[in-house]
Amino acid sequence: MKPAACTFSKRAVLVASIALSTCAGLMPLPAAAGGGDFAAGLLGGLAVGALAGAAAAQPSYYYPYPAYYYPPPPPVYVPAPRCWFEYRRVWDGYGYPLARVQVCG
């Protein structure tokens, strides 16, 4: 049997080196506050927080949207029906005599 050859591709080496450098960059460093670093950070954080809070709490001065005014619709003029009287035959229960009838059309 042949021993398994250990082959690394250039891509695998590149990916491993990038991952290692990223992990090394994220390692925490010991904190040292000397010479006013703490005071500068505290005052800077308070100043940024105050600016952000003031910007977020600004009252919004705006005029409300105008109420939409719809005028009433124009009046609709319907001409009066033309009516007249005619003599027509009408059933009265016994027959069809002539009667005066109002006809509109």
Side-chain angles (χ1 to χ4, degrees):
M1 287 176 83
K2 287 184 175 181
C6 185
T7 58
F8 292 108
S9 67
K10 290 182 183 179
R11 183 175 178 180
V13 173
L14 180 65
V15 169
S17 65
I18 289 174
L20 183 62
S21 64
T22 303
C23 290
L26 295 178
M27 296 285 280
L29 297 176
D37 292 341
F38 179 75
L42 180 67
L43 290 177
L46 287 174
V48 169
L51 288 175
Q58 283 287 332
S60 57
Y61 295 108
Y62 65 92
Y63 293 104
Y65 290 111
Y68 291 106
Y69 171 71
Y70 295 108
V76 178
Y77 296 105
V78 178
R82 294 178 35 209
C83 298
W84 61 91
F85 289 96
E86 291 183 354
Y87 285 99
R88 293 196 173 175
R89 295 201 177 267
V90 181
W91 175 256
D92 66 352
Y94 295 105
Y96 289 98
L98 284 176
R100 191 171 180 224
V101 178
Q102 183 179 7
V103 178
C104 297

